[in-house]
Amino acid sequence: MEKGKIIILSGPSGSGKTTLHQKLLQSPAFKGKLVKSLSATTRLPRVGEKNGRDYLFLSKEDFLDKQKRGEFLEFMQVFENYYGTPKDKVDAALKKGKSVLLCIDVKGAKVVSSKYPDAVKVFVKTPTLADLKKRLSKRGTESSKDLELRFKFAKAELKEAKHYHHVVVNGSLAHAYRDLARILNKEIFKKAVLAKSAAKKST
Ligand code: 5GP
């Protein structure tokens, strides 16, 4: 049986990592091989977000109860809210030989790496900070106070990119997705994917 791996995706809010990870999970190439770790959070759902699909939305009390029972692989307080990775789902998927995708912040990534040293860490960022600011404001899901907080946090997170195995620059979604899919193909299946141009030349 193939051995599953933990794939960690981090990057500032607005870098496009949510869209990228959703695309990965929908791709036939990774179907049945890659599963998402559904994080728990105490933050309120955004418009369009669904409990059990995007996050497990919990009250602070329920979250802290789970934390006390040791149910999280890691948990962090990010932007005044708690976020955590439920441990049971990750272990169950790995046992079945599946890889697990964790979309978590840089501090959580450090904790997971210390527990699973062969976890692969991928950092997603925008080409510039100005691009990030533009994307965050365009999203329109946060208050201006929250936006400022996320932007400040992003600057600190970007400093951590150098500790990641791979950095994907999301200037265009198509290119970033192609780069990310190549990384995962290599890391999960040990398969180097030919660049389109190279593949064309050989046909
Ligand atoms: P958002 O509120 O925008 O969905 O997420 C805010 C930040 O929390 C993002 O950087 C996201 O990756 C991170 N995050 C989401 N789930 C988890 C988790 O389970 N653990 C940790 N440490 N961070 C998380």
Side-chain angles (χ1 to χ4, degrees), residues 9 11-13 17 39-40 43 46 49 55 74-76 78-79 83-85 103-105 107-109 139 142 150 153 157:
L9 214 55
S13 208
K17 63 182 188 300
S39 290
R43 89 149 158 73
R46 294 189 186 117
E49 281 185 332
Y55 279 107
E74 61 76 37
F75 79 98
M76 286 292 153
V78 188
F79 310 126
Y83 294 81
T85 305
C103 246
I104 60 177
D105 85 314
K107 286 190 199 132
R139 200 161 78 171
E142 275 83 26
R150 280 170 189 266
F153 191 77
E157 275 195 305

Tab-separated table of all heavy atoms in Angstrom, residues 9 11-13 17 39-40 43 46 49 55 74-76 78-79 83-85 103-105 107-109 139 142 150 153 157, ligand 1:
chain	number	residue	atom	x	y	z
A	9	LEU	N	-0.404	23.273	3.805
A	9	LEU	CA	-0.492	24.460	2.956
A	9	LEU	C	-0.669	25.665	3.877
A	9	LEU	O	-1.648	25.743	4.613
A	9	LEU	CB	-1.720	24.300	2.057
A	9	LEU	CG	-1.693	24.862	0.654
A	9	LEU	CD1	-0.518	24.330	-0.123
A	9	LEU	CD2	-2.993	24.529	-0.067
A	11	GLY	N	0.000	30.123	4.257
A	11	GLY	CA	0.127	31.342	3.461
A	11	GLY	C	-0.831	32.360	4.009
A	11	GLY	O	-1.833	31.984	4.636
A	12	PRO	N	-0.543	33.630	3.774
A	12	PRO	CA	-1.407	34.668	4.325
A	12	PRO	C	-2.841	34.538	3.837
A	12	PRO	O	-3.095	34.015	2.754
A	12	PRO	CB	-0.794	35.966	3.792
A	12	PRO	CG	0.556	35.616	3.336
A	12	PRO	CD	0.569	34.164	3.001
A	13	SER	N	-3.732	35.020	4.648
A	13	SER	CA	-5.138	35.120	4.289
A	13	SER	C	-5.202	35.975	3.022
A	13	SER	O	-4.625	37.065	2.987
A	13	SER	CB	-5.812	35.860	5.446
A	13	SER	OG	-7.106	35.522	5.571
A	17	LYS	N	-4.867	30.324	-1.021
A	17	LYS	CA	-4.647	28.909	-0.678
A	17	LYS	C	-5.953	28.115	-0.541
A	17	LYS	O	-5.965	26.927	-0.844
A	17	LYS	CB	-3.748	28.743	0.562
A	17	LYS	CG	-4.310	29.299	1.837
A	17	LYS	CD	-3.303	29.098	2.947
A	17	LYS	CE	-3.895	29.467	4.291
A	17	LYS	NZ	-4.360	30.864	4.421
A	39	SER	N	-10.666	21.482	9.659
A	39	SER	CA	-10.297	22.151	10.906
A	39	SER	C	-11.531	22.549	11.702
A	39	SER	O	-12.601	22.787	11.131
A	39	SER	CB	-9.505	23.427	10.606
A	39	SER	OG	-8.238	23.112	10.106
A	40	ALA	N	-11.346	22.657	12.986
A	40	ALA	CA	-12.393	23.209	13.850
A	40	ALA	C	-12.039	24.677	14.103
A	40	ALA	O	-10.854	25.025	14.152
A	40	ALA	CB	-12.430	22.444	15.163
A	43	ARG	N	-14.366	30.796	14.980
A	43	ARG	CA	-14.811	32.010	14.278
A	43	ARG	C	-16.157	31.762	13.615
A	43	ARG	O	-16.538	30.622	13.364
A	43	ARG	CB	-13.748	32.484	13.277
A	43	ARG	CG	-13.829	31.919	11.891
A	43	ARG	CD	-13.315	32.912	10.855
A	43	ARG	NE	-12.902	32.284	9.620
A	43	ARG	CZ	-13.715	31.772	8.712
A	43	ARG	NH1	-15.025	31.737	8.923
A	43	ARG	NH2	-13.224	31.252	7.588
A	46	ARG	N	-18.370	32.570	7.360
A	46	ARG	CA	-18.579	33.667	6.412
A	46	ARG	C	-19.767	33.288	5.537
A	46	ARG	O	-20.146	32.120	5.477
A	46	ARG	CB	-17.351	33.815	5.498
A	46	ARG	CG	-16.125	34.256	6.211
A	46	ARG	CD	-15.007	34.588	5.204
A	46	ARG	NE	-13.793	34.879	5.923
A	46	ARG	CZ	-12.679	34.156	5.829
A	46	ARG	NH1	-12.607	33.119	5.015
A	46	ARG	NH2	-11.617	34.470	6.535
A	49	GLU	N	-20.160	29.845	3.672
A	49	GLU	CA	-19.430	28.749	4.313
A	49	GLU	C	-20.412	27.800	5.007
A	49	GLU	O	-21.421	28.238	5.558
A	49	GLU	CB	-18.432	29.287	5.340
A	49	GLU	CG	-17.169	29.821	4.700
A	49	GLU	CD	-16.124	30.249	5.722
A	49	GLU	OE1	-16.501	30.643	6.848
A	49	GLU	OE2	-14.940	30.219	5.391
A	55	TYR	N	-15.428	24.252	7.598
A	55	TYR	CA	-14.864	24.121	8.947
A	55	TYR	C	-15.883	23.383	9.795
A	55	TYR	O	-17.057	23.293	9.438
A	55	TYR	CB	-14.664	25.504	9.599
A	55	TYR	CG	-13.424	26.259	9.214
A	55	TYR	CD1	-13.486	27.365	8.371
A	55	TYR	CD2	-12.173	25.901	9.719
A	55	TYR	CE1	-12.340	28.084	8.026
A	55	TYR	CE2	-11.027	26.622	9.388
A	55	TYR	CZ	-11.121	27.702	8.542
A	55	TYR	OH	-9.995	28.407	8.213
A	74	GLU	N	-2.911	19.829	16.621
A	74	GLU	CA	-2.363	21.142	16.954
A	74	GLU	C	-3.543	22.082	17.046
A	74	GLU	O	-4.580	21.842	16.440
A	74	GLU	CB	-1.343	21.614	15.910
A	74	GLU	CG	-1.870	21.793	14.487
A	74	GLU	CD	-2.706	23.035	14.269
A	74	GLU	OE1	-2.393	24.077	14.855
A	74	GLU	OE2	-3.701	22.965	13.522
A	75	PHE	N	-3.378	23.146	17.799
A	75	PHE	CA	-4.411	24.177	17.796
A	75	PHE	C	-3.744	25.513	18.053
A	75	PHE	O	-2.670	25.574	18.661
A	75	PHE	CB	-5.512	23.888	18.837
A	75	PHE	CG	-5.113	24.258	20.235
A	75	PHE	CD1	-5.516	25.468	20.804
A	75	PHE	CD2	-4.311	23.415	20.967
A	75	PHE	CE1	-5.131	25.812	22.088
A	75	PHE	CE2	-3.914	23.756	22.258
A	75	PHE	CZ	-4.323	24.957	22.814
A	76	MET	N	-4.340	26.564	17.545
A	76	MET	CA	-3.740	27.897	17.658
A	76	MET	C	-4.829	28.932	17.821
A	76	MET	O	-5.946	28.743	17.360
A	76	MET	CB	-2.991	28.253	16.360
A	76	MET	CG	-1.694	27.540	16.168
A	76	MET	SD	-0.502	28.084	17.386
A	76	MET	CE	0.491	26.613	17.460
A	78	VAL	N	-5.686	32.250	16.307
A	78	VAL	CA	-5.342	33.089	15.156
A	78	VAL	C	-6.448	34.131	15.030
A	78	VAL	O	-7.627	33.769	15.027
A	78	VAL	CB	-5.276	32.242	13.840
A	78	VAL	CG1	-4.738	33.065	12.686
A	78	VAL	CG2	-4.471	30.966	14.009
A	79	PHE	N	-6.056	35.403	14.905
A	79	PHE	CA	-7.050	36.486	14.785
A	79	PHE	C	-8.150	36.399	15.854
A	79	PHE	O	-9.345	36.389	15.549
A	79	PHE	CB	-7.753	36.457	13.417
A	79	PHE	CG	-6.850	36.389	12.242
A	79	PHE	CD1	-6.989	35.407	11.292
A	79	PHE	CD2	-5.841	37.320	12.076
A	79	PHE	CE1	-6.168	35.348	10.199
A	79	PHE	CE2	-5.004	37.264	10.993
A	79	PHE	CZ	-5.164	36.279	10.054
A	83	TYR	N	-8.370	27.867	16.229
A	83	TYR	CA	-8.421	26.957	15.086
A	83	TYR	C	-7.661	25.702	15.495
A	83	TYR	O	-6.622	25.793	16.148
A	83	TYR	CB	-7.708	27.553	13.860
A	83	TYR	CG	-8.334	28.787	13.256
A	83	TYR	CD1	-8.114	30.039	13.805
A	83	TYR	CD2	-9.120	28.694	12.113
A	83	TYR	CE1	-8.671	31.174	13.235
A	83	TYR	CE2	-9.681	29.829	11.531
A	83	TYR	CZ	-9.450	31.067	12.103
A	83	TYR	OH	-10.005	32.189	11.546
A	84	GLY	N	-8.157	24.538	15.106
A	84	GLY	CA	-7.437	23.315	15.470
A	84	GLY	C	-7.650	22.201	14.464
A	84	GLY	O	-8.674	22.142	13.778
A	85	THR	N	-6.661	21.311	14.394
A	85	THR	CA	-6.721	20.164	13.484
A	85	THR	C	-7.126	18.906	14.267
A	85	THR	O	-6.339	18.438	15.096
A	85	THR	CB	-5.324	19.916	12.862
A	85	THR	OG1	-4.866	21.113	12.235
A	85	THR	CG2	-5.345	18.773	11.875
A	103	CYS	N	-4.667	22.917	5.766
A	103	CYS	CA	-4.550	24.344	5.430
A	103	CYS	C	-4.447	25.083	6.753
A	103	CYS	O	-5.472	25.428	7.351
A	103	CYS	CB	-5.816	24.784	4.711
A	103	CYS	SG	-5.542	25.236	3.042
A	104	ILE	N	-3.245	25.290	7.232
A	104	ILE	CA	-3.093	25.833	8.592
A	104	ILE	C	-2.035	26.945	8.628
A	104	ILE	O	-1.252	27.080	7.691
A	104	ILE	CB	-2.732	24.716	9.612
A	104	ILE	CG1	-1.422	24.038	9.248
A	104	ILE	CG2	-3.845	23.693	9.679
A	104	ILE	CD1	-1.000	22.981	10.258
A	105	ASP	N	-2.009	27.683	9.712
A	105	ASP	CA	-1.090	28.811	9.800
A	105	ASP	C	0.338	28.319	10.116
A	105	ASP	O	0.556	27.133	10.362
A	105	ASP	CB	-1.581	29.832	10.841
A	105	ASP	CG	-1.137	29.493	12.245
A	105	ASP	OD1	-1.260	28.318	12.631
A	105	ASP	OD2	-0.638	30.378	12.950
A	107	LYS	N	2.382	28.729	12.599
A	107	LYS	CA	2.693	28.178	13.929
A	107	LYS	C	2.185	26.740	14.027
A	107	LYS	O	2.872	25.859	14.537
A	107	LYS	CB	2.053	29.028	15.027
A	107	LYS	CG	2.768	30.333	15.230
A	107	LYS	CD	2.233	31.003	16.479
A	107	LYS	CE	2.572	32.471	16.469
A	107	LYS	NZ	1.406	33.311	16.793
A	108	GLY	N	0.979	26.519	13.527
A	108	GLY	CA	0.407	25.175	13.522
A	108	GLY	C	1.279	24.235	12.683
A	108	GLY	O	1.487	23.077	13.038
A	109	ALA	N	1.791	24.780	11.572
A	109	ALA	CA	2.644	23.975	10.679
A	109	ALA	C	3.895	23.490	11.420
A	109	ALA	O	4.324	22.349	11.254
A	109	ALA	CB	3.037	24.805	9.463
A	139	ARG	N	-12.073	40.789	-1.536
A	139	ARG	CA	-12.859	39.668	-1.034
A	139	ARG	C	-14.103	40.158	-0.290
A	139	ARG	O	-15.153	39.539	-0.345
A	139	ARG	CB	-11.948	38.857	-0.091
A	139	ARG	CG	-12.390	37.465	0.137
A	139	ARG	CD	-11.259	36.619	0.656
A	139	ARG	NE	-11.016	36.855	2.079
A	139	ARG	CZ	-10.198	36.109	2.810
A	139	ARG	NH1	-9.532	35.125	2.266
A	139	ARG	NH2	-10.022	36.361	4.084
A	142	GLU	N	-14.250	40.737	5.290
A	142	GLU	CA	-13.799	41.184	6.611
A	142	GLU	C	-14.095	42.658	6.847
A	142	GLU	O	-14.149	43.450	5.894
A	142	GLU	CB	-12.289	40.966	6.757
A	142	GLU	CG	-11.899	39.580	7.219
A	142	GLU	CD	-11.852	38.568	6.078
A	142	GLU	OE1	-11.631	38.977	4.939
A	142	GLU	OE2	-12.059	37.390	6.327
A	150	ARG	N	-5.369	41.113	9.607
A	150	ARG	CA	-4.919	40.056	8.711
A	150	ARG	C	-3.688	40.496	7.912
A	150	ARG	O	-2.798	39.702	7.650
A	150	ARG	CB	-6.057	39.629	7.770
A	150	ARG	CG	-6.999	38.690	8.442
A	150	ARG	CD	-8.262	38.418	7.680
A	150	ARG	NE	-9.174	37.671	8.535
A	150	ARG	CZ	-9.281	36.349	8.570
A	150	ARG	NH1	-8.564	35.617	7.766
A	150	ARG	NH2	-10.107	35.756	9.402
A	153	PHE	N	-0.665	40.400	10.219
A	153	PHE	CA	-0.344	38.994	10.457
A	153	PHE	C	0.366	38.408	9.216
A	153	PHE	O	1.314	37.633	9.328
A	153	PHE	CB	-1.652	38.252	10.730
A	153	PHE	CG	-1.498	36.858	11.254
A	153	PHE	CD1	-1.168	36.635	12.582
A	153	PHE	CD2	-1.708	35.771	10.426
A	153	PHE	CE1	-1.055	35.342	13.067
A	153	PHE	CE2	-1.592	34.470	10.903
A	153	PHE	CZ	-1.267	34.260	12.223
A	157	GLU	N	3.803	36.298	8.770
A	157	GLU	CA	3.769	34.945	8.192
A	157	GLU	C	4.740	34.803	7.024
A	157	GLU	O	5.390	33.774	6.874
A	157	GLU	CB	2.354	34.641	7.688
A	157	GLU	CG	1.432	34.122	8.759
A	157	GLU	CD	0.184	33.504	8.148
A	157	GLU	OE1	-0.477	34.210	7.374
A	157	GLU	OE2	-0.107	32.365	8.440
B	1	5GP	P1	-9.632	31.935	7.953
B	1	5GP	O1	-10.313	32.541	9.127
B	1	5GP	O2	-9.255	32.969	6.926
B	1	5GP	O3	-10.392	30.762	7.355
B	1	5GP	O4	-8.256	31.321	8.476
B	1	5GP	C1	-7.359	32.119	9.184
B	1	5GP	C2	-6.027	31.423	9.329
B	1	5GP	O5	-6.171	30.279	10.169
B	1	5GP	C3	-5.439	30.917	8.018
B	1	5GP	O6	-4.056	31.190	7.989
B	1	5GP	C4	-5.686	29.433	8.081
B	1	5GP	O7	-4.746	28.706	7.326
B	1	5GP	C5	-5.509	29.181	9.556
B	1	5GP	N1	-6.116	27.924	9.993
B	1	5GP	C6	-7.245	27.342	9.542
B	1	5GP	N2	-7.455	26.176	10.167
B	1	5GP	C7	-6.413	26.005	11.016
B	1	5GP	C8	-6.049	24.981	11.952
B	1	5GP	O8	-6.712	23.965	12.129
B	1	5GP	N3	-4.914	25.189	12.657
B	1	5GP	C9	-4.136	26.299	12.502
B	1	5GP	N4	-3.031	26.393	13.236
B	1	5GP	N5	-4.441	27.267	11.647
B	1	5GP	C10	-5.568	27.129	10.915
